[in-house]
Amino acid sequence: TVLNQLKIIAANCWQAKDNVNIISTNEGFSFYQDICKHALNGFALDFTVLTVHDQPIAYMFGLIKDDCYFAFDTAYDKDFEEFSPGLILHNLLMEELFKDKIKTFDFGFNAAYKKRWSSQTLLTSDVVIFPKGLKGGVIEFGQRIKKMVKQSNMNCAAAVDHEKPKSTLVLEVVNTLEGFHQLKNEWSELLNQSASLGPFMSFEWLFSWWQGYYEGRDLLILKLVDNKKRIESIAGINLW
């Protein structure tokens, strides 16, 4: 299968040696298998493998929706490093994608080698919390949410000539797998209304990730709910 080809390549890549390759671990392989079973809110999975005499030496895994390709995972066999198989694969893949009317190639996280193809950068940020305990993590993040809500209410009041907000928001906590799964429809609906329409924020992607990597971590999902029980925002966190 394609996944087995990816695993063969990953076994001899530099990422596996540094323990940062995904599919080379049991958890990562399970995650990939689970992703292949789900429809990711309209995204198509794309596996591209570069071979030499039928030997797989490099791969790229990405997702496609409309006219955009989202790169997720790539690796190459370090025995072929002198031939730059990763760069060759990128060039060939982009040629084929653009032939298929794909207009945007999203490289994902920043890396120096990617600048040879594009200088355009979309700024994103990651917030990593290392709490001393579950309670501490909830309190710290809860304070940040309250600050955001307070600022939002102030802006709303100013926009309507100091009219009081008609609804209040309540912070609720979800910390079980069953509770996470029950959020599927609301999560997808909220994402469709969001500017963050990439595949890596979809419910199916994150739920599969959690099932593969839950060991040693505590699930924590914070949601802001209005007085009609409608979810206004969701933040997924894992604590370890």
Side-chain angles (χ1 to χ4, degrees), residues 101-121:
K101 310 300 182 183
I102 299 298
K103 297 180 180 179
T104 303
F105 191 107
D106 189 327
F107 288 93
F109 69 92
N110 189 28
Y113 78 89
K114 299 175 182 180
K115 295 180 180 179
R116 70 181 62 220
W117 292 293
S118 176
S119 59
Q120 182 179 358
T121 302

Side-chain angles (χ1 to χ4, degrees), residues 55 70 86 91 146 152 166 169 182 191 209 212 221 240:
Q55 178 183 347
F70 298 87
N91 286 329
K146 290 180 180 179
S152 176
K166 297 181 179 180
L169 297 176
Q182 290 175 351
L191 182 61
W209 184 93
I221 297 174
W240 68 94

Side-chain angles (χ1 to χ4, degrees), residues 33-51:
Q33 288 179 312
D34 201 46
I35 283 295
C36 290
K37 298 176 184 177
H38 298 292
L40 296 177
N41 199 25
F43 288 89
L45 305 184
D46 183 88
F47 294 94
T48 304
V49 179
L50 181 66
T51 63

Side-chain angles (χ1 to χ4, degrees), residues 95-161:
E95 287 180 8
E96 292 302 315
L97 289 172
F98 294 147
K99 287 179 183 178
D100 292 335
K101 310 300 182 183
I102 299 298
K103 297 180 180 179
T104 303
F105 191 107
D106 189 327
F107 288 93
F109 69 92
N110 189 28
Y113 78 89
K114 299 175 182 180
K115 295 180 180 179
R116 70 181 62 220
W117 292 293
S118 176
S119 59
Q120 182 179 358
T121 302
L122 299 177
L123 182 62
T124 60
S125 61
D126 295 326
V127 178
V128 181
I129 303 173
F130 298 94
K132 294 182 180 179
L134 179 60
K135 182 178 180 180
V138 172
I139 293 174
E140 180 180 356
F141 196 81
Q143 290 301 316
R144 295 188 182 190
I145 293 293
K146 290 180 180 179
K147 183 177 179 180
M148 293 171 59
V149 173
K150 182 179 179 180
Q151 183 64 44
S152 176
N153 286 341
M154 290 174 61
N155 294 338
C156 178
V160 295
D161 195 22

Side-chain angles (χ1 to χ4, degrees), residues 19 86-87 100 120 189 226:
N19 295 317
L87 298 183
D100 292 335
Q120 182 179 358
E189 181 179 348
D226 65 17

